[in-house]
Amino acid sequence: MSTLSPAPAQLTREDLATTTLITFAAPVLPSYWQDYHCPRQIPSGQTIPHLVAGYGQEALAMVSAGRGVVFTSARAEQYYARPDTVWLPFPQLPRFEYVPIWPPTSNTPHLQAFLRTVTEAPRLPHRSTSR
């Protein structure tokens, strides 16, 4: 199936029935994460078709080839925008939250200084490059 075209002003979960959702192989993203962020069915019960990509660039290539859509963070658009893809907000799904993680044995003064810097830094607004 192809991506939604033209894109509605605001997508809903029901719109997902008209496309294929591209997810990732288990080593890339754990299944519990995908279950939370990539629904298997729309609210009315219809199953959403899925394809599996091995990594992010493969998923974007699949999108640009019209094979489906992929969910990612809005921030990712700044780094991976392509002229053959459209990035749309989808507020009906849970937001991606980012947190720092580290091995428990690495709780050093340098790490604590980094965490203070991260938590005290002002948030930058998202700059969309969508067409």
Side-chain angles (χ1 to χ4, degrees):
M1 298 183 96
S2 64
T3 57
L4 301 173
S5 180
Q10 175 139 347
L11 297 171
T12 69
R13 286 180 181 232
E14 293 293 324
D15 292 320
L16 294 175
T18 65
T19 193
T20 298
L21 186 56
I22 299 167
T23 58
F24 294 93
V28 176
L29 294 172
S31 59
Y32 68 85
W33 189 95
Q34 292 190 79
D35 291 343
Y36 184 72
H37 287 286
C38 301
R40 298 263 173 220
Q41 54 186 193
I42 61 174
S44 63
Q46 186 175 348
T47 300
I48 301 167
H50 281 68
L51 287 175
V52 177
Y55 53 93
Q57 291 298 334
E58 181 184 10
L60 289 175
M62 293 167 76
V63 170
S64 68
R67 297 187 62 201
V69 300
V70 65
F71 291 122
T72 188
S73 69
R75 235 359 138 187
E77 181 183 9
Q78 292 178 300
Y79 305 103
Y80 304 108
R82 298 165 51 133
D84 55 357
T85 59
V86 176
W87 296 67
L88 299 170
F90 202 95
Q92 292 77 24
L93 292 179
R95 293 179 52 87
F96 286 50
E97 299 292 336
Y98 293 92
V99 297
I101 60 172
W102 60 91
T105 57
S106 299
N107 194 3
T108 64
H110 284 48
L111 173 66
Q112 292 305 312
F114 171 74
L115 293 173
R116 277 192 303 279
T117 300
V118 168
T119 57
E120 294 169 3
R123 290 184 154 215
L124 299 175
H126 172 66
R127 289 181 227 148
S128 177
T129 57
S130 292
R131 307 309 162 266

